[in-house]
Amino acid sequence: MRKKENTAACSVQTREKENFPSFGGDYFERDLYRELRRSVPIIDASIIKLRRLIGSFCVVTGVPKLDLKISRFLRRVKVGANSCGIDAFLGTYLEEMLTYGTAVGEIVMKNGEPYALYNTDLRDVEIREDKELNAIVCTRVGGELKPCRQRELIMVTALNPEPGKVTGVSILRGLPFVCDVLMKIYRTTGTNWDRLGNVRFAVSLAQDGGYAPERAKTVANEWQKAMRKDSVSDFISVGEVNIKAIGSDVQILDSEVPVRQMLEQIVAKLGIPPFLLGFSWSSTERMSSQQADILTSELEAYRRLLEPAIIRIVDVFLMSEGIKRPDYEIEWDDITMQDELDHQKALLLAAQRKAIEGN
């Protein structure tokens, strides 16, 4: 019989292994941002669009065989329990960074090789800073916070960290107040429709001596029969009867202007052009082009934040394969064809200028 090989089991360092409540100084703030994404669709849609627009990339070393090997690994690497490919990992990584200001990921090793990529739940870890200005990810072991041992397998990215802070700032900071006003308008509008959309009537009778109670009861019964949902009937009465819709003289506030003001604040904070979110706000063609250029610069900034995590993953893979780290570049896909068209036009104009100057 063949001897069974001993295989090392893989384990995740940054997953909470004990049944303790979530910790971390910014837990309540993160919970607020999570609820904002659930409550305000435009926020969730904007972050998802940023994830889609970030695009893909390839690693170029100058050696075709090595490029193919790295590309095959990045496409097939396991991500979490039900995904594969580094694009799935970076998409969730970017969403965490934008929503909470900080993203933590881990390279899970098995038999000395990178087996999977894991997006860490920020509620399971706490990030501290040591004397050498390194971000240390800590987990709870035996009820105490202890740093993860294999730090080289953990990636931490912070979005616009404040001075002296190791964690970043969420892109949603400043929006809770705006969203609270917006949701208050929506809730009030819904309440008004519940009250005034389903019309209620006030039926009043003229005084008729001692027979007023009996007459009122009779009118009430006949009115209920006339207002039944499953049938249509007429209401007939004798004497003076006044029927008036409750709230017909109430003036409902116009919500279009304040709602647009709140949405403009949200769109300005998220950096997404309004036309990408389906808003047909008045804008010229030049303005739309400028907004697209601003979005391109935002996406390029997010790409620069993601590159250190990509480099860490590629370096660990090369080390596991026993390959000396070559000089390589991360080449991202063009964001849009319009950018490539403008670039080619600029090159054409530059070539024409050189030709004119040469003559």
Side-chain angles (χ1 to χ4, degrees):
M1 296 178 63
R2 297 181 59 183
K3 184 178 180 182
K4 186 177 180 180
E5 297 180 358
N6 293 325
T7 58
C10 62
S11 62
V12 181
Q13 302 180 81
T14 56
R15 176 185 294 171
E16 186 65 37
K17 302 177 179 61
E18 303 178 21
N19 191 17
F20 283 96
S22 302
F23 58 93
D26 299 331
Y27 167 70
F28 295 105
E29 186 175 1
R30 293 168 186 162
D31 190 55
L32 174 61
Y33 295 147
R34 188 181 300 107
E35 290 299 323
L36 282 182
R37 289 193 60 176
R38 293 176 181 175
S39 303
V40 185
I42 185 177
I43 294 178
D44 189 57
S46 299
I47 294 178
I48 292 176
K49 285 186 181 296
L50 288 174
R51 173 177 178 170
R52 299 289 186 267
L53 292 172
I54 201 67
S56 186
F57 67 93
C58 62
V59 178
V60 180
T61 63
V63 182
K65 291 185 178 179
L66 184 57
D67 293 348
L68 182 61
K69 193 171 187 178
I70 296 175
S71 177
R72 186 182 296 112
F73 163 73
L74 295 178
R75 289 198 312 269
R76 299 179 179 178
V77 63
K78 183 179 177 62
V79 177
N82 52 10
S83 300
C84 66
I86 193 171
D87 289 339
F89 170 78
L90 289 180
T92 304
Y93 196 82
L94 177 64
E95 283 195 35
E96 292 283 301
M97 182 183 68
L98 296 177
T99 305
Y100 308 115
T102 307
V104 179
E106 181 183 353
I107 306 172
V108 183
M109 304 295 290
K110 184 177 182 180
N111 297 329
E113 297 179 354
Y115 169 73
L117 302 176
Y118 177 71
N119 293 103
T120 303
D121 191 340
L122 295 177
R123 293 173 294 183
D124 294 341
V125 297
E126 184 167 324
I127 305 173
R128 296 181 176 180
E129 185 178 2
D130 61 7
K131 296 181 180 179
E132 298 179 357
L133 301 180
N134 296 319
I136 306 300
V137 179
C138 303
T139 57
R140 196 185 302 274
V141 179
E144 297 180 359
L145 286 176
K146 293 186 178 181
C148 296
R149 294 182 179 180
Q150 296 177 313
R151 302 179 186 176
E152 68 278 3
L153 301 178
I154 300 176
M155 300 153 288
V156 180
T157 302
L159 176 65
N160 301 326
E162 296 179 343
K165 299 289 185 180
V166 68
T167 56
V169 177
S170 170
I171 195 176
L172 305 181
R173 174 177 285 189
L175 292 184
F177 171 75
V178 176
C179 292
D180 181 61
V181 175
L182 180 63
M183 297 308 296
K184 188 178 297 183
I185 295 175
Y186 286 156
R187 285 193 297 268
T188 305
T189 303
T191 302
N192 289 336
W193 274 101
D194 286 338
R195 293 176 176 175
L196 304 181
N198 186 8
V199 182
R200 295 170 173 83
F201 297 92
V203 182
S204 59
L205 304 174
Q207 293 184 359
D208 192 12
Y211 298 99
E214 291 80 2
R215 186 183 175 193
K217 185 176 181 180
T218 303
V219 170
N221 294 333
E222 295 299 324
W223 180 259
Q224 291 178 357
K225 293 179 181 179
M227 298 301 294
R228 288 175 57 184
K229 298 180 180 179
D230 55 350
S231 64
V232 178
S233 61
D234 298 327
F235 173 73
I236 301 174
S237 176
V238 178
E240 184 179 355
V241 179
N242 295 322
I243 302 174
K244 184 178 181 182
I246 299 177
S248 59
D249 56 345
V250 176
Q251 182 179 2
I252 300 178
L253 296 177
D254 184 12
S255 61
E256 182 177 358
V257 174
V259 166
R260 176 167 175 173
Q261 290 177 348
M262 298 301 105
L263 292 178
E264 287 176 348
Q265 296 294 322
I266 295 175
V267 170
K269 191 70 170 70
L270 297 175
I272 295 290
F275 59 85
L276 290 181
L277 298 172
F279 294 129
S280 57
W281 295 342
S282 59
S283 60
T284 61
E285 182 179 355
R286 182 175 181 83
M287 184 183 299
S288 300
S289 177
Q290 292 175 348
Q291 291 175 348
D293 292 339
I294 295 174
L295 176 61
T296 301
S297 63
E298 290 286 339
L299 295 175
E300 290 176 350
Y302 294 147
R303 287 176 170 182
R304 289 192 294 268
L305 291 175
L306 295 176
E307 285 187 0
I310 300 172
I311 294 173
R312 177 73 60 87
I313 296 171
V314 175
D315 288 349
V316 171
F317 170 72
L318 294 175
M319 187 180 301
S320 67
E321 295 291 326
I323 302 174
K324 184 178 179 181
R325 185 185 187 280
D327 293 332
Y328 58 85
E329 297 291 336
I330 299 175
E331 295 186 357
W332 292 88
D333 297 340
D334 294 327
I335 295 176
T336 61
M337 291 301 296
Q338 185 67 32
D339 295 335
E340 183 65 19
L341 179 62
D342 293 340
H343 180 66
Q344 295 300 328
K345 286 182 178 179
L347 293 178
L348 177 62
L349 293 176
Q352 291 175 351
R353 186 193 65 182
K354 290 182 181 180
I356 294 173
E357 291 176 353
N359 295 331

